[in-house]
């Protein structure tokens, strides 16, 4: 319970700090967060690990446009390979 509260408080603080950024700094901040998410997905999701490998995506310089659009159909077909928590099926 406390860890959830602390995570929420951290996210709120991060969001409030982002409001004070210039447009360029805000875009850089978003890209940094995206790359952190992409690295996590590549390490913990077989589906995204394959995409990164097949497309030779550099996780230090990637952008959302480097990844294919995830449609509902693709999600349903690949769900077990996409999720990063094996307890979720």
């Amino acid at each position: 319970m406390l860890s959830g509260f602390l995570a929420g408080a951290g996210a709120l603080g991060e969001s409030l700090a982002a409001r004070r950024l210039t447009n360029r700094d805000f875009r850089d901040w978003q890209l940094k967060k995206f790359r952190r998410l992409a690295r996590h997905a590549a390490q913990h999701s077989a589906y995204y690990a394959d995409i990164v490998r097949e497309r030779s995506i550099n996780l230090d310089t990637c952008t959302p446009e480097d990844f294919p659009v995830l449609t509902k159909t693709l999600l349903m077909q690949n769900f077990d390979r996409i999720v990063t928590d094996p307890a979720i099926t």
Side-chain angles (χ1 to χ4, degrees):
M1 172 114 171
L2 180 60
S3 64
F5 173 77
L6 294 175
L12 176 60
E14 187 175 81
S15 177
L16 292 173
R19 289 179 153 188
R20 293 187 291 270
L21 299 175
T22 65
N23 285 342
R24 180 184 173 100
D25 289 340
F26 181 73
R27 285 192 301 273
D28 290 345
W29 174 75
Q30 283 183 314
L31 196 53
K32 182 179 177 181
K33 284 183 64 170
F34 170 78
R35 289 175 179 156
R36 188 172 47 221
L37 176 64
R39 279 190 291 278
H40 177 83
Q43 291 172 354
H44 299 282
S45 165
Y47 177 83
Y48 282 106
D50 287 347
I51 288 174
V52 167
R53 187 174 40 261
E54 290 166 5
R55 293 178 175 228
S56 300
I57 296 173
N58 180 337
L59 295 173
D60 294 326
T61 60
C62 66
T63 64
E65 292 78 18
D66 295 329
F67 293 84
V69 173
L70 181 62
T71 64
K72 181 178 179 180
T73 301
L74 283 173
L75 175 63
M76 299 303 289
Q77 290 171 348
N78 297 285
F79 185 81
D80 289 337
R81 296 184 68 238
I82 290 173
V83 296
T84 59
D85 182 348
I88 300 172
T89 59

